[in-house]
Amino acid sequence: MSQTLIPHIDLTPLLAGDPARDETRQAIVDAACDSGFMTVGIAPSQLGLAADIHARLLRFFELDATHKQQLARHKFEPANRNVYRGYFPPQNEDPTWKEGIDLGPDVAHPERADTQSGDPLREPTPQPPESELSGWSADVATYYEAMESLGGVIAGALAEGLGMPRETLTRPFAHGNSTLRLIHYPERPAETLDAMPAVDGSGDTRRWLVGVPHCDNGFITLLWQDQVGGLQVRTPSGDWEEVPPRENALVLNFGRLLSDWSGGRIQATEHRIVGGTRSRHSIPFFFEPAVDAHIDTAGDGGYVYGDRLWERMQAFVEFQGVERVPRTEV
């Protein structure tokens, strides 16, 4: 597959206040309204991050199964209270083959931890103790804040490029409920691959579906992927196009929230993950507004973000069967 759909945009002018920022802003808007996907050039140092920040975050997967299970969601560890945040293991019964941990705003803003409402969307994030993973929580907080800031910059650029007041797209994120997710796609057991049709390649280059086709639910996704690759985007023709990894770059795509908000002008594009024979890691940051933010949409009066998010996330295997009810028992 050729690289024809996904543009690459250097964010330096936007971050530096360079005169070329208007061109950068327009390139982002064009990509948002055309493919809904782009790669953006930005080095960790431009965000005040260490060059090895991604490796630092991925140390989480060095924890043994017992320590990861202590952070698991209630669905996977009934003794735990956390429903929405925390660890999830690979699901054997589903083509999606990944483990990961979802981290909420309290990792960077402890004052946002909500222990009173009982709403899973607002619950505190379980984290490993410092004694088990020294420095990890501090790295998570630093990365979360950097992605949150970058999300605000992108939102402001979109608003200006679309001819609306900047605060229209930035205000709902003042107390946002964004999610930082660390993902590991393990090498799949041979017996599970034998039962699945390969999606592309042949012989040693065969790849299988390890992340089912989906659209993201939120506003903006800022994704780092390792050099293994495997991210593919569905083109208007129905084919799948590779989004190859780049050094000092993130993949930027838009979610269903922003598509709703823009009346479909901005594209929420379907994508998937293929692989199976090599371990793969990625780190998406889902830039999302407050749980109670009202999303105005044309014709139907809009909706409350948290309500629509909960409804839509039931399509993902790790959330299937989960109920949004207050949990008071341990």
Side-chain angles (χ1 to χ4, degrees), residues 58 61 183-185 224-226 228 279-283:
L58 293 174
F61 297 107
I183 306 177
H184 175 216
Y185 297 86
W224 173 86
Q225 59 172 337
D226 67 15
V228 173
S279 175
R280 176 187 187 270
H281 294 87
S282 66
I283 304 176

Side-chain angles (χ1 to χ4, degrees), residues 112-197:
R112 295 193 201 172
D114 180 350
T115 60
Q116 302 300 316
S117 70
D119 184 352
L121 291 177
R122 307 172 192 262
E123 70 187 12
T125 302
Q127 298 187 62
E130 182 71 10
S131 59
E132 295 296 335
L133 213 55
S134 178
W136 183 81
S137 291
D139 287 333
V140 163
T142 300
Y143 193 81
Y144 190 104
E145 289 185 299
M147 292 298 104
E148 198 173 36
S149 176
L150 181 58
V153 170
I154 299 296
L158 276 173
E160 293 169 3
L162 292 169
M164 63 178 67
R166 185 182 182 89
E167 57 270 19
T168 300
L169 289 187
T170 58
R171 188 186 303 114
F173 298 90
H175 297 283
N177 199 47
S178 301
T179 295
L180 172 61
R181 172 176 280 196
L182 311 180
I183 306 177
H184 175 216
Y185 297 86
E187 180 179 338
R188 291 202 72 149
E191 61 271 18
T192 67
L193 291 174
D194 290 342
M196 298 170 55

Side-chain angles (χ1 to χ4, degrees), residues 20-307:
R21 64 184 179 275
D22 290 342
E23 295 177 17
T24 302
R25 187 163 46 229
Q26 189 58 49
I28 292 172
V29 172
D30 290 346
C33 296
D34 182 15
S35 66
F37 257 82
M38 68 195 80
T39 57
V40 294
I42 185 165
S45 60
Q46 292 178 274
L47 298 172
L49 297 170
D52 64 346
I53 186 61
H54 301 108
R56 292 187 188 187
L57 298 183
L58 293 174
R59 289 190 298 135
F60 173 81
F61 297 107
E62 298 173 8
L63 291 173
D64 61 32
T66 298
H67 286 102
K68 287 189 287 190
Q69 193 67 14
Q70 290 171 354
L71 308 174
R73 296 177 185 151
H74 176 76
K75 175 178 177 177
F76 308 109
E77 180 50 71
N80 292 350
R81 295 178 60 185
N82 48 300
V83 173
Y84 184 61
R85 304 296 183 188
Y87 174 73
F88 57 90
Q91 303 297 287
N92 290 330
E93 72 277 8
D94 192 90
T96 295
W97 183 255
K98 66 176 186 286
E99 63 171 335
I101 184 169
D102 285 329
L103 307 155
D106 60 303
V107 300
H109 310 285
E111 71 281 2
R112 295 193 201 172
D114 180 350
T115 60
Q116 302 300 316
S117 70
D119 184 352
L121 291 177
R122 307 172 192 262
E123 70 187 12
T125 302
Q127 298 187 62
E130 182 71 10
S131 59
E132 295 296 335
L133 213 55
S134 178
W136 183 81
S137 291
D139 287 333
V140 163
T142 300
Y143 193 81
Y144 190 104
E145 289 185 299
M147 292 298 104
E148 198 173 36
S149 176
L150 181 58
V153 170
I154 299 296
L158 276 173
E160 293 169 3
L162 292 169
M164 63 178 67
R166 185 182 182 89
E167 57 270 19
T168 300
L169 289 187
T170 58
R171 188 186 303 114
F173 298 90
H175 297 283
N177 199 47
S178 301
T179 295
L180 172 61
R181 172 176 280 196
L182 311 180
I183 306 177
H184 175 216
Y185 297 86
E187 180 179 338
R188 291 202 72 149
E191 61 271 18
T192 67
L193 291 174
D194 290 342
M196 298 170 55
V199 296
D200 65 15
S202 61
D204 293 340
T205 67
R206 283 187 302 169
R207 295 189 298 181
W208 291 261
L209 189 67
V210 294
V212 295
H214 66 280
C215 294
D216 291 347
N217 287 322
F219 187 84
I220 295 169
T221 301
L222 295 163
L223 170 75
W224 173 86
Q225 59 172 337
D226 67 15
Q227 293 302 306
V228 173
L231 173 63
Q232 295 182 336
V233 174
R234 191 184 290 278
T235 68
S237 67
D239 295 329
W240 291 98
E241 179 174 339
E242 204 85 12
V243 185
R246 286 176 175 265
E247 294 286 349
N248 294 326
L250 298 170
V251 179
L252 194 162
N253 68 282
F254 303 95
R256 297 167 74 183
L257 163 61
L258 191 51
S259 180
D260 293 343
W261 214 337
S262 66
R265 182 177 176 184
I266 292 175
Q267 302 300 308
T269 305
E270 193 174 35
H271 49 286
R272 69 181 186 182
I273 304 296
V274 298
T277 59
R278 297 176 63 190
S279 175
R280 176 187 187 270
H281 294 87
S282 66
I283 304 176
F285 181 82
F286 304 102
F287 185 57
E288 301 176 87
V291 172
D292 58 1
H294 189 271
I295 308 305
D296 295 316
T297 56
D300 63 2
Y303 55 79
V304 175
Y305 176 65
D307 295 344

